[in-house]
């Protein structure tokens, strides 16, 4: 891994105007990156420029603005493919976010793949977006949802996973990095063991795509999903990548304009991929903003950025652990920059409120991972999550605010 000292985070911070702001009279310490990333000025300007000077619908117009918008939209498809190591731009489906991407696949499997008695495997650490769609799919088809256990340190129980795989398993859908714990799952090993039985694998990359280079070809997965707002782009835009052979097997998720070849009252024929999955006017500005976000990320030394995030995680973990009565939930050996913690006799919501008074933004709650927190016997945690634009002063402010809170409540 690169030396974190080589990453110029001071210069990077200047690209994010919001980081220079104040909250309640204190410098903003933004540590809620697992919920959404802040936007560099390049993304803000790209979206503003589109709406101010280039606004038009795509695919259907022959005038200049429509052709310009269409070109920008479709160029982003190729750019996104390269960003995640895919070779075929047509395998990139633009959706509203990770949630819609998973729902699209779940809908397709419900209608074209799953039958009564089939099994779907997910893990105990999944976000609700990778639980509920599969519950609905199971209810619709008579399939059975199976859950891979999580060990006490917050890592995946790989022995149990192997035991759960069977001839009835039709899909494994698993998170790459836990949003609640920061645990990094060994997705390559998960995929290898599933593929040995001919089982496809969906990887939820909502948390991994902002923090590490992604190469779906090397990873070997069959589907990969992520959200634009997590990679410092706009909200309301996301990506589903799938292998062509799988996408062609799945039926359309929604229907309407732009996903058809021909419509008459006797029947309709659909476009091939990616068109058949993109009904109606898409979030064009979101795609253009995503393009700018990818350009921005690709302009960074991502290996050095990852090393910098790792140094922040280590510093925060060590300093928070030294506070009496503070307990960290999720201590897997391989973690991304997330620290979930509890303080004796202080509700996580009170932690979040107290820290906010000092300008420190953390998340408090169940993080859309209620079964996982139930597994650890807690209803909620406070969660600090770092990005490459955070610095060691942010860690110091977090630790100082938590220490002040501990003194206040004891």
């Amino acid at each position: 891994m690169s030396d974190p000292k080589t990453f110029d985070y001071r210069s990077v911070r200047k690209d994010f105007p919001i980081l220079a702001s104040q909250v309640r009279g204190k410098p903003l310490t933004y540590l809620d990156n697992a919920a959404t990333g802040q936007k560099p000025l390049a993304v803000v300007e790209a979206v503003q420029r589109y709406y101010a000077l280039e606004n038009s619908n795509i695919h259907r117009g022959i005038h200049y603005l429509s052709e310009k918008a269409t070109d920008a939209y479709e160029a982003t498809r190729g750019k996104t493919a390269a960003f995640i190591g895919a070779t075929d731009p047509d395998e990139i489906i633009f959706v509203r976010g990770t949630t819609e991407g998973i729902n699209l696949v779940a809908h397709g499997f419900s209608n074209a793949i799953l039958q009564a008695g089939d099994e779907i495997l997910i893990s105990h650490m999944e976000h609700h977006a990778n639980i509920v769609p599969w519950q609905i799919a199971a209810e619709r088809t008579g399939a059975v949802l199976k859950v891979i256990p999580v060990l006490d340190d917050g890592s995946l129980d790989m022995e149990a996973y192997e035991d759960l795989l069977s001839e009835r398993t039709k899909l494994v859908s698993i998170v790459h990095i836990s949003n609640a714990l920061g645990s990094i799952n060994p997705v390559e090993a998960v995929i290898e063991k599933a593929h040995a039985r001919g089982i496809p694998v969906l990887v939820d990359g909502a948390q991994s795509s902002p923090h590490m280079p992604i190469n779906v070809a090397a990873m070997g997965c069959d589907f990969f999903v992520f959200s634009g707002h997590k990679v410092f782009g706009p909200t309301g835009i996301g990506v589903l990548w799938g292998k062509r052979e799988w996408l062609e097997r799945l039926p359309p998720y929604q229907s309407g304009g732009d996903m058809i070849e021909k419509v008459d009252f006797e029947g309709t024929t659909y476009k091939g991929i990616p068109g058949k999955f993109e009904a109606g006017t898409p979030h064009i500005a979101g795609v253009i903003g995503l393009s700018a976000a990818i350009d921005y990320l690709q302009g960074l030394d991502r290996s050095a950025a990852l090393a910098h995030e790792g140094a922040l995680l280590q510093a925060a973990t060590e300093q928070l652990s030294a506070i009496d009565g503070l307990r960290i939930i999720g201590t897997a050996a391989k973690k991304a920059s997330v620290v979930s913690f509890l303080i004796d006799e202080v509700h996580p919501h009170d932690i979040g409120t107290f820290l906010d008074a000092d300008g420190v933004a953390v998340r408090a709650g169940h993080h859309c991972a209620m079964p996982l927190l139930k597994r650890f016997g807690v209803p909620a945690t406070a969660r600090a999550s770092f990005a490459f634009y955070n610095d060691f002063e942010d860690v110091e402010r977090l630790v100082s605010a938590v220490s002040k809170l501990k003194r206040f409540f004891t």
Side-chain angles (χ1 to χ4, degrees):
M1 181 179 287
S2 297
D3 184 345
K5 295 178 182 178
T6 66
F7 185 68
D8 187 5
Y9 59 85
R10 293 180 181 87
S11 177
V12 163
R13 286 179 66 86
K14 296 176 183 177
D15 296 331
F16 294 82
I18 199 170
L19 299 180
S21 62
Q22 292 197 335
V23 172
R24 308 189 195 287
K26 305 290 180 63
L28 171 64
T29 303
Y30 185 77
L31 300 177
D32 195 18
N33 294 283
T36 195
Q38 295 301 342
K39 318 309 173 194
L41 193 58
V43 170
V44 177
E45 290 176 341
V47 174
Q48 183 182 37
R49 183 170 57 250
Y50 166 73
Y51 278 130
L53 302 173
E54 302 167 1
N55 179 56
S56 181
N57 213 328
I58 61 170
H59 294 155
R60 305 167 192 143
I62 59 173
H63 56 82
Y64 172 80
L65 286 179
S66 180
E67 290 177 349
K68 188 174 179 64
T70 299
D71 288 346
Y73 183 90
E74 292 300 335
T76 306
R77 206 184 298 277
K79 184 181 294 185
T80 305
F83 178 64
I84 62 170
T87 57
D88 184 354
D90 286 347
E91 294 174 335
I92 297 293
I93 312 299
F94 291 124
V95 290
R96 288 182 298 166
T98 300
T99 297
E100 186 174 45
I102 295 171
N103 272 274
L104 189 157
V105 178
H107 172 272
F109 266 69
S110 296
N111 283 276
I113 309 294
L114 295 174
Q115 297 180 358
D118 288 343
E119 294 178 356
I120 309 154
L121 272 187
I122 62 173
S123 83
H124 210 129
M125 68 176 73
E126 300 307 320
H127 188 282
H128 296 165
N130 203 27
I131 299 174
V132 181
W134 301 113
Q135 289 176 330
I136 293 172
E139 291 169 0
R140 290 184 60 192
T141 62
V144 178
L145 193 63
K146 298 277 188 173
V147 181
I148 309 161
V150 170
L151 299 174
D152 289 342
D153 67 351
S155 61
L156 196 67
D157 188 337
M158 288 297 289
E159 290 186 7
Y161 167 62
E162 290 190 63
D163 291 340
L164 285 167
L165 289 170
S166 75
E167 67 280 357
R168 294 184 298 276
T169 309
K170 292 297 182 288
L171 179 76
V172 176
S173 189
I174 191 164
V175 69
H176 198 171
I177 296 177
S178 166
N179 74 305
L181 305 180
S183 305
I184 302 175
N185 280 325
V187 291
E188 291 84 358
V190 168
I191 293 163
E192 182 181 7
K193 294 180 188 304
H195 281 185
R197 293 173 171 267
I199 301 164
V201 179
L202 181 150
V203 174
D204 172 356
Q207 297 296 329
S208 60
S209 49
H211 299 293
M212 62 177 67
I214 300 296
N215 188 315
V216 293
M219 189 187 300
C221 59
D222 301 274
F223 301 96
F224 187 87
V225 290
F226 71 94
S227 296
H229 71 101
K230 297 286 175 65
V231 294
F232 317 103
T235 55
I237 186 65
V239 173
L240 162 66
W241 169 83
K243 290 180 178 177
R244 175 177 286 272
E245 57 266 32
W246 279 109
L247 293 176
E248 288 178 343
R249 288 182 64 182
L250 303 184
Y253 177 53
Q254 295 177 322
S255 55
D258 210 32
M259 49 79 69
I260 51 86
E261 289 288 356
K262 180 181 178 183
V263 175
D264 60 37
F265 290 115
E266 285 69 44
T268 295
T269 55
Y270 307 120
K271 287 182 178 178
I273 64 167
K276 75 171 181 177
F277 293 115
E278 295 183 10
T281 298
H283 187 8
I284 304 166
V287 169
I288 288 170
L290 174 63
S291 176
I294 290 173
D295 285 341
Y296 183 85
L297 282 174
Q298 298 292 60
L300 299 175
D301 182 341
R302 297 202 72 194
S303 180
L306 178 60
H308 172 66
E309 289 181 9
L312 294 174
L313 174 64
Q314 181 178 356
T317 301
E318 291 175 355
Q319 293 177 43
L320 289 172
S321 296
I323 297 174
D324 184 48
L326 186 145
R327 176 164 61 105
I328 292 176
I329 306 296
T331 57
K334 292 185 177 181
K335 282 187 62 175
S337 48
V338 171
V339 184
S340 275
F341 62 94
L342 297 169
I343 298 174
D344 289 346
E345 299 179 359
V346 183
H347 194 282
H349 290 168
D350 292 330
I351 297 174
T353 301
F354 193 97
L355 266 56
D356 179 60
D358 265 359
V360 180
V362 300
R363 182 59 53 116
H366 53 65
H367 318 301
C368 292
M370 293 176 74
L372 177 61
L373 295 194
K374 184 178 180 181
R375 152 72 176 83
F376 286 94
V378 298
T381 66
R383 181 189 70 189
S385 51
F386 299 87
F388 56 79
Y389 47 60
N390 289 117
D391 59 20
F392 292 96
E393 289 185 14
D394 291 334
V395 175
E396 291 171 8
R397 291 191 188 110
L398 168 67
V399 174
S400 174
V402 172
S403 299
K404 184 194 299 185
L405 176 150
K406 188 67 170 57
R407 293 192 298 271
F408 179 84
F409 281 96
T410 59

